[in-house]
Structures are given as structure tokens and as C-alpha cells.
Amino acid sequence: MKVYIAGKITGNPNYKRQFAKAERELKTQGHTTMNPAVLPDGFEHHEYMKICFSMIDICDSVFFLSNWNDSIGAQMEHIYARATGKGLLF
């Protein structure tokens, strides 16, 4: 299954480690992952969201890190994933 990883990035100094850990665990389970934590710096929030929504579009499910509810972007991804019929993994 193709799985997008969602969680708090902005204001989270540990986001790269948290996303990488989730990615490793999902890959161990046999999934292909899309990890937004590897996107380059320099874009505006709305531009990142366009990229992330496109990543969600090609995935079957979205895995939400435990801190997802502390992130406006991850909350938007949750709404988008539900609206587009993606599986939700927690």
C-alpha cells in the first residue's frame, strides 16, 4: 500500500527524526511511503500544501503521527484525506 505520512513539521525541531522513524516502520510493514519531511526549504505554506495534497492523491492511505492534531497543515491533510476517501491510519 502507498502511504503518506502526516504530522507536525512547523515549530517541531524533531520532525525529521519522527517522520524518518515512521517511514522506516511503514516500509518494514511492506508499504511504499511519501514523506513530506524531505521536501526542500524555501516554499510558502500554501505551496507545501499543494505538494502534499498531490502526494496524498497518489497514496492509498495517510498515516498520522501522534502530534498531527497540533498542526494546521496536518489537520488540513486529515480533512483532505477524508474528503477523498483515503484510508486513515493512526
Side-chain angles (χ1 to χ4, degrees):
M1 179 168 40
K2 292 176 263 180
V3 181
Y4 175 86
I5 303 168
K8 182 175 176 63
I9 291 178
T10 303
N12 178 3
N14 299 314
Y15 79 91
K16 287 189 185 237
R17 182 179 51 79
Q18 292 168 348
F19 277 74
K21 180 181 179 203
E23 184 172 32
R24 282 191 307 275
E25 291 173 2
L26 289 164
K27 285 183 175 182
T28 299
Q29 297 170 18
H31 302 298
T32 301
T33 59
M34 294 294 285
N35 181 352
V38 301
L39 293 173
D41 294 335
F43 293 96
E44 299 291 327
H45 187 263
H46 72 278
E47 294 168 323
Y48 282 117
M49 294 313 302
K50 286 179 76 170
I51 294 166
C52 292
F53 290 156
S54 294
M55 293 168 81
I56 291 170
D57 284 342
I58 63 169
C59 288
D60 305 301
S61 297
V62 178
F63 175 78
F64 292 89
L65 297 174
S66 62
N67 62 6
W68 76 272
N69 214 18
D70 297 329
S71 165
I72 292 171
Q75 289 177 26
M76 292 169 64
E77 291 165 341
H78 183 262
I79 293 166
Y80 186 79
R82 288 186 62 182
T84 57
K86 303 298 177 179
L88 305 178
L89 308 171
F90 297 92

